Each structure stands twice: as structure tokens, then as C-alpha cells.
Amino acid sequence: MQMNAPEKDDNSPLSAAGWIALVVLAGFFLAALWYAAKVWTSMAGVHMSGWGWFTLVLGIVVTTALGGGLMALVFYSSRHDYDQ
């Protein structure tokens, strides 16, 4: 069974559903930022050593690199027709 790809119009704006999805995702992003700032400021009395900060930053960098690398592999395999 072969699926036909939809025709793409490079000049077409987002549909109403696309704009609604963007607004909802922006709302989730703002809520996550608000919660992160709230939690971060509530931990003012907690002290971390230099090694603690190092491992925190290292964990963030490794997690972001892993996520970016996996997404790159997804796009690569999709572009080269490995996904069937």
C-alpha cells in the first residue's frame, strides 16, 4: 500500500489548527518557565559545591546533545527513505 504525500505550497500560511497548536505550545512553554523560576527561587537556602554545579551543567549539556543527536538521526533516516 503506497501513501501519496500531500502537495506542498511553500507560500501557504498556517491553518487555524496550526495557530491553535502554536498558542497551546507557547502556553505550555510559559507555564514551564514560570514553574522552573518558582522552584529555582524557592531553593535559595540550598548550597551546592563546585562539583555539584559542574555535574548539573554536564547533565544539561549531555541531555541536550543526546536529544539533538537523536532528532538528527530521525530526520536523516526520514530524508533517506530508511523509514518504511
Side-chain angles (χ1 to χ4, degrees), residues 3-77:
M3 299 178 76
N4 295 330
E7 293 183 19
K8 295 180 182 177
D9 183 14
D10 292 334
N11 295 329
S12 65
L14 285 177
S15 66
W19 284 108
I20 291 171
L22 282 176
V23 168
V24 168
L25 288 174
F28 283 147
F29 179 68
L30 291 175
L33 283 178
W34 172 80
Y35 183 73
K38 180 180 172 188
V39 169
W40 189 271
T41 57
S42 69
M43 295 176 45
V46 177
H47 297 285
M48 242 181 0
S49 67
W51 281 109
W53 284 106
F54 173 74
T55 55
L56 177 67
V57 170
L58 184 65
I60 291 169
V61 168
V62 168
T63 302
T64 303
L66 179 64
L70 289 174
M71 286 304 299
L73 285 174
V74 167
F75 285 113
Y76 179 81
S77 67

